[in-house]
């Protein structure tokens, strides 16, 4: 009779992926130890979704794959094995009621990211998962019997399998400083180049006077030559360096194929109106304010801060009387309102990106288990993998799905 050996698993990182992987493996009977370099678990999780935590997106796996920017085919298996519906059921089962908002974004009813983080920590505790805080793993060393030693300062932890869930390079203050990449690189694991994704954009134009202005229900289009790389309606905001907000972050993820300064951005400030309808609206406003200077006739159409910028792009003399504006000049205003030009210069630094584009090459990973093909017993989960998606809860779902598969793979591995 073969004696059953309880798998000993070390999870490096107690973020969203690390905690889900630890819970999964522990539920399957493994003895799990988590090493977390921060003083508490889920530090980045607590600030996601502006502190509300966009847990997932209430969509099908197929729809979620359409929102993945890098290596969507690799995720077919994981996303179908642990779907957005499964994620919602999981957290509801942990006592976190959820709600679905615009764009199918799923949040805790409480609007508190802390509720999600605390539920995961509580579940680990219930399962007897040992979590060591202030424990920074520095190396993964293979043993002669097929196991591993995870080095943590002066401490060594012996285990049968390791799950690396250390995140990417974004938000380094939360602990995502590339430790996992360094450890895996030393083992010869292929790591793809890093780029910021879901990141604000620095503009060539000085838009600093617009700092703090938020625009809702506008359309942002990113073009590369004649190709439309991105075009969606939503919300954005202006900052001291350029532009940010949901539309801009999503656009940045679609502006990875070419240098960012080779793209052009167009902002439709009135996407609900076609050009003829907008022209009629402008004619009506011009009639109402015919005696005013042109620059003083747009307050019904635009936020005050934005008027001078639109006037500048329209090509109309700001002091010209509105009643004297010609049809051709009016067409220039309609053009400025529907295709306001913004010139990207560069992305903000990697440490300001919501997620990292790049990571462990998916060719190195068995998608059925998240185990490294050339390093049996080492599994990866979450943002450390070369996968990323748009905003809307998709990236957390990728973390949960890959972590669930990694936790199962490690727990079921023969050791």
């Amino acid at each position: 009779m073969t004696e059953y050996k309880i798998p000993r698993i070390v999870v490096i990182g107690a973020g969203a992926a690390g905690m889900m992987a630890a819970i999964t493996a522990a539920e399957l009977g493994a003895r799990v130890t988590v090493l977390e370099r921060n003083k508490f678990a889920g530090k980045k999780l607590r600030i996601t979704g502006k502190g509300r935590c966009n847990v997932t997106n209430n969509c099908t796996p197929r729809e979620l794959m359409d929102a993945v920017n890098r290596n969507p085919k690799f995720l077919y298996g994981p996303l179908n094995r642990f779907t957005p519906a499964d994620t919602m059921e999981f957290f509801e089962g942990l006592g976190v009621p959820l709600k679905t908002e615009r764009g199918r974004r799923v949040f805790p009813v409480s609007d508190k990211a802390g509720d999600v983080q605390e539920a995961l920590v509580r579940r680990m505790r219930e399962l007897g998962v040992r979590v060591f805080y202030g424990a920074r793993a520095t190396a993964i060393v293979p043993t002669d019997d097929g196991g591993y030693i995870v080095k943590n300062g002066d401490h060594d932890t012996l285990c049968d399998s390791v799950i690396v869930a250390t995140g990417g390079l974004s938000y380094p203050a939360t602990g995502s400083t590339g430790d996992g990449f360094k450890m895996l690189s030393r083992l010869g694991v292929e790591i793809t180049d890093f780029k910021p994704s879901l990141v604000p954009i620095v503009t060539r134009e000085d838009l600093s006077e617009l700092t703090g202005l938020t625009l809702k229900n506008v359309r942002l289009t990113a073009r590369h030559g004649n190709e439309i790389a991105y075009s969606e309606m939503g919300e954005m905001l202006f900052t001291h360096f350029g532009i940010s907000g949901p539309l801009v972050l999503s656009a940045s993820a679609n502006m990875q194929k070419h240098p960012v300064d080779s793209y052009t951005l167009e902002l439709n400030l009135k996407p609900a109106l076609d050009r003829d309808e907008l022209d009629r609206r402008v004619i009506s406003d011009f009639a109402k304010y015919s005696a005013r200077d042109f620059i003083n006739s747009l307050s019904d159409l635009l936020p005050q801060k934005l008027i001078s910028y639109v006037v500048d792009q329209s090509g109309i003399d700001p002091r010209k009387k509105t009643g004297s504006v010609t049809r051709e000049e009016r067409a220039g205003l309609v053009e400025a309102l529907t295709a306001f030009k913004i010139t990207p210069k560069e992305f903000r630094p990697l440490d300001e990106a919501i997620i990292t584009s790049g990571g462990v090459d998916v060719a190195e990973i068995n998608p059925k288990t998240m185990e490294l093909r050339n390093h049996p017993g080492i599994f990866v989960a979450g943002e450390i993998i070369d996968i990323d998606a748009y905003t809307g809860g998709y990236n957390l779902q990728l973390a949960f799905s890959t972590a669930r598969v990694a936790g199962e793979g490690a727990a079921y591995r023969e050791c």
Side-chain angles (χ1 to χ4, degrees):
M1 182 176 178
T2 303
E3 182 180 352
Y4 173 72
K5 180 182 177 183
I6 297 176
R8 299 165 300 172
I9 299 171
V10 169
V11 178
I12 306 176
M19 288 191 283
M20 179 62 82
I23 289 168
T24 302
E27 287 177 340
L28 294 172
R31 184 179 296 124
V32 182
T33 299
V34 178
L35 304 179
E36 169 54 49
R37 60 176 292 178
N38 290 310
K39 294 181 179 179
F40 60 90
K43 190 171 183 179
K44 184 176 179 180
L45 190 63
R46 290 184 71 94
I47 63 174
T48 60
K50 298 180 181 179
R52 298 174 61 217
C53 192
N54 188 179
V55 176
T56 186
N57 190 283
N58 193 357
C59 64
T60 66
R62 176 69 261 180
E63 290 169 328
L64 201 150
M65 285 180 64
D66 290 340
V68 175
N69 189 45
R70 289 178 67 86
N71 299 310
K73 292 182 180 178
F74 170 80
L75 292 161
Y76 178 84
L79 288 175
N80 279 280
R81 283 173 59 183
F82 196 71
T83 68
D86 292 330
T87 295
M88 295 170 69
E89 182 180 358
F90 174 83
F91 281 104
E92 294 270 4
L94 294 186
V96 183
L98 302 173
K99 60 181 177 180
T100 302
E101 297 187 357
R102 178 181 57 84
R104 302 177 302 196
R105 291 169 166 83
V106 178
F107 294 90
V109 171
S110 66
D111 286 327
K112 295 179 180 178
D115 288 354
V116 176
Q117 178 254 3
E118 289 166 8
L120 291 168
V121 172
R122 186 169 58 249
R123 182 58 178 155
M124 287 195 298
R125 189 182 305 118
E126 291 170 352
L127 292 166
V129 174
R130 297 191 306 165
V131 184
F132 293 93
Y133 297 109
R136 185 174 186 175
T138 57
I140 302 170
V141 181
T143 62
D144 293 337
D145 61 356
Y148 291 93
I149 293 172
V150 178
K151 290 189 170 295
N152 162 36
D154 296 329
H155 302 280
D156 292 347
T157 305
L158 182 65
C159 60
D160 302 300
S161 299
V162 182
I163 300 174
V164 185
T166 50
L169 292 172
S170 55
Y171 286 103
T174 64
S176 299
T177 56
D179 288 356
F181 299 126
K182 295 171 187 173
M183 287 185 280
L184 294 178
S185 291
R186 292 192 202 105
L187 295 173
V189 178
E190 185 69 27
I191 309 295
T192 63
D193 292 339
F194 301 113
K195 294 181 181 178
S197 186
L198 300 181
V199 65
I201 295 174
V202 179
T203 61
R204 291 198 179 280
E205 299 86 356
D206 180 4
L207 303 175
S208 58
E209 291 184 14
L210 298 176
T211 299
L213 175 63
T214 297
L215 300 179
K216 297 182 179 181
N217 301 317
V218 295
R219 176 176 289 276
L220 182 66
T221 300
R223 300 180 186 273
H224 188 268
N226 295 323
E227 175 191 355
I228 295 179
Y230 174 81
S231 187
E232 292 290 342
M233 282 182 60
E235 179 179 326
M236 63 169 287
L237 70 138
F238 294 92
T239 70
H240 67 282
F241 56 76
I243 52 177
S244 187
L247 276 180
V248 175
L249 299 180
S250 292
S252 73
N254 287 269
M255 297 165 64
Q256 302 286 340
K257 293 182 180 179
H258 310 283
V260 62
D261 60 0
S262 67
Y263 288 86
T264 58
L265 297 174
E266 293 178 359
L267 186 59
N268 188 338
L269 298 163
K270 300 294 176 182
L273 303 176
D274 63 32
R275 292 204 173 200
D276 289 340
E277 292 170 332
L278 182 55
D279 188 45
R280 289 194 291 271
R281 166 68 192 275
V282 169
I283 291 172
S284 174
D285 282 7
F286 278 13
K288 181 178 178 182
Y289 300 118
S290 61
R292 292 186 180 181
D293 289 349
F294 170 59
I295 196 170
N296 296 323
S297 67
L298 301 177
S299 57
D300 291 353
L301 269 175
L302 296 166
Q304 191 63 41
K305 281 185 176 182
L306 194 55
I307 289 175
S308 63
Y309 289 87
V310 171
V311 168
D312 184 58
Q313 287 203 16
S314 75
I316 303 172
D317 181 350
R319 294 304 167 191
K320 186 172 187 176
K321 295 301 179 185
T322 304
S324 301
V325 173
T326 66
R327 176 186 295 180
E328 291 75 18
E329 288 174 325
R330 199 174 69 238
L333 173 60
V334 171
E335 173 69 16
L337 290 168
T338 55
F340 183 82
K341 302 296 190 297
I342 299 174
T343 312
K345 179 182 179 183
E346 59 189 8
F347 292 133
R348 291 292 284 179
L350 188 61
D351 60 8
E352 293 185 28
I354 291 179
I355 60 168
T356 303
S357 179
V360 177
D361 191 330
V362 296
E364 298 261 354
I365 309 166
N366 179 351
K368 295 180 179 179
T369 60
M370 292 295 128
E371 187 175 29
L372 296 180
R373 297 184 188 277
N374 297 321
H375 300 276
I378 299 181
F379 301 77
V380 289
E383 198 181 339
I384 195 171
I385 305 170
D386 184 16
I387 51 175
D388 64 79
Y390 307 137
T391 58
Y394 303 114
N395 286 290
L396 265 182
Q397 181 61 49
L398 300 189
F400 293 137
S401 292
T402 55
R404 198 73 172 176
V405 174
E408 291 173 353
Y412 287 135
R413 177 179 178 250
E414 292 186 9
C415 52

